[in-house]
PDB file of all heavy atoms in Angstrom:
ATOM      1  N   ALA C 181    -175.720-114.750  39.027  1.00 92.00           N
ATOM      2  CA  ALA C 181    -176.101-115.637  40.125  1.00 92.00           C
ATOM      3  C   ALA C 181    -175.150-115.539  41.314  1.00 92.00           C
ATOM      4  O   ALA C 181    -173.972-115.235  41.160  1.00 92.00           O
ATOM      5  CB  ALA C 181    -176.138-117.084  39.631  1.00 92.00           C
ATOM      6  N   GLY C 195    -180.230-124.131  53.135  1.00 97.00           N
ATOM      7  CA  GLY C 195    -180.513-123.259  54.269  1.00 97.00           C
ATOM      8  C   GLY C 195    -179.671-121.988  54.261  1.00 97.00           C
ATOM      9  O   GLY C 195    -179.948-121.052  55.006  1.00 97.00           O
ATOM     10  N   GLY C 245    -195.851-126.518  41.595  1.00 98.00           N
ATOM     11  CA  GLY C 245    -195.591-126.087  40.225  1.00 98.00           C
ATOM     12  C   GLY C 245    -194.279-125.319  40.129  1.00 98.00           C
ATOM     13  O   GLY C 245    -193.767-125.093  39.023  1.00 98.00           O
ATOM     14  N   LYS C 358    -148.691-134.363  45.457  1.00 95.00           N
ATOM     15  CA  LYS C 358    -147.884-134.346  46.684  1.00 95.00           C
ATOM     16  C   LYS C 358    -148.566-135.173  47.773  1.00 95.00           C
ATOM     17  O   LYS C 358    -147.927-135.963  48.464  1.00 95.00           O
ATOM     18  CB  LYS C 358    -147.689-132.917  47.168  1.00 95.00           C
ATOM     19  CG  LYS C 358    -146.346-132.342  46.773  1.00 95.00           C
ATOM     20  CD  LYS C 358    -146.141-130.978  47.426  1.00 95.00           C
ATOM     21  CE  LYS C 358    -146.123-129.873  46.370  1.00 95.00           C
ATOM     22  NZ  LYS C 358    -146.554-128.560  46.830  1.00 95.00           N
ATOM     23  N   VAL C 376    -154.886-156.200  55.256  1.00 97.00           N
ATOM     24  CA  VAL C 376    -153.677-155.397  55.425  1.00 97.00           C
ATOM     25  C   VAL C 376    -153.980-154.228  56.359  1.00 97.00           C
ATOM     26  O   VAL C 376    -155.049-153.626  56.272  1.00 97.00           O
ATOM     27  CB  VAL C 376    -153.231-154.816  54.054  1.00 97.00           C
ATOM     28  CG1 VAL C 376    -151.948-154.008  54.203  1.00 97.00           C
ATOM     29  CG2 VAL C 376    -153.061-155.908  53.024  1.00 97.00           C
ATOM     30  N   ARG C 399    -159.947-151.170  46.358  1.00 87.00           N
ATOM     31  CA  ARG C 399    -160.181-151.612  44.976  1.00 87.00           C
ATOM     32  C   ARG C 399    -159.019-152.435  44.447  1.00 87.00           C
ATOM     33  O   ARG C 399    -159.210-153.380  43.690  1.00 87.00           O
ATOM     34  CB  ARG C 399    -160.389-150.401  44.062  1.00 87.00           C
ATOM     35  CG  ARG C 399    -161.843-149.989  43.901  1.00 87.00           C
ATOM     36  CD  ARG C 399    -162.042-149.142  42.655  1.00 87.00           C
ATOM     37  NE  ARG C 399    -161.112-148.032  42.595  1.00 87.00           N
ATOM     38  CZ  ARG C 399    -161.330-146.845  43.156  1.00 87.00           C
ATOM     39  NH1 ARG C 399    -162.440-146.628  43.809  1.00 87.00           N
ATOM     40  NH2 ARG C 399    -160.438-145.876  43.062  1.00 87.00           N
ATOM     41  N   LEU C 404    -159.204-158.485  50.076  1.00 96.00           N
ATOM     42  CA  LEU C 404    -158.650-158.215  51.405  1.00 96.00           C
ATOM     43  C   LEU C 404    -159.356-157.076  52.125  1.00 96.00           C
ATOM     44  O   LEU C 404    -159.845-156.136  51.499  1.00 96.00           O
ATOM     45  CB  LEU C 404    -157.157-157.860  51.284  1.00 96.00           C
ATOM     46  CG  LEU C 404    -156.234-158.919  50.680  1.00 96.00           C
ATOM     47  CD1 LEU C 404    -154.791-158.438  50.745  1.00 96.00           C
ATOM     48  CD2 LEU C 404    -156.389-160.263  51.385  1.00 96.00           C
ATOM     49  N   ARG C 427    -166.425-159.225  49.926  1.00 89.00           N
ATOM     50  CA  ARG C 427    -167.234-159.718  51.050  1.00 89.00           C
ATOM     51  C   ARG C 427    -167.472-158.553  52.005  1.00 89.00           C
ATOM     52  O   ARG C 427    -166.830-158.444  53.041  1.00 89.00           O
ATOM     53  CB  ARG C 427    -166.475-160.802  51.833  1.00 89.00           C
ATOM     54  CG  ARG C 427    -166.558-162.199  51.280  1.00 89.00           C
ATOM     55  CD  ARG C 427    -165.685-163.147  52.110  1.00 89.00           C
ATOM     56  NE  ARG C 427    -164.269-162.809  52.037  1.00 89.00           N
ATOM     57  CZ  ARG C 427    -163.481-162.552  53.069  1.00 89.00           C
ATOM     58  NH1 ARG C 427    -163.949-162.575  54.297  1.00 89.00           N
ATOM     59  NH2 ARG C 427    -162.206-162.261  52.896  1.00 89.00           N
ATOM     60  N   ASN C 451    -162.616-143.414  66.041  1.00 91.00           N
ATOM     61  CA  ASN C 451    -162.124-142.038  66.187  1.00 91.00           C
ATOM     62  C   ASN C 451    -160.805-141.966  66.936  1.00 91.00           C
ATOM     63  O   ASN C 451    -159.927-141.210  66.564  1.00 91.00           O
ATOM     64  CB  ASN C 451    -163.154-141.181  66.909  1.00 91.00           C
ATOM     65  CG  ASN C 451    -164.070-140.513  65.909  1.00 91.00           C
ATOM     66  OD1 ASN C 451    -163.678-140.258  64.765  1.00 91.00           O
ATOM     67  ND2 ASN C 451    -165.290-140.254  66.321  1.00 91.00           N
TER      68      ASN C 451
END
Side-chain angles (χ1 to χ4, degrees):
K358 261 187 247 152
V376 182
R399 268 200 309 273
L404 299 185
R427 277 176 296 124
N451 268 332

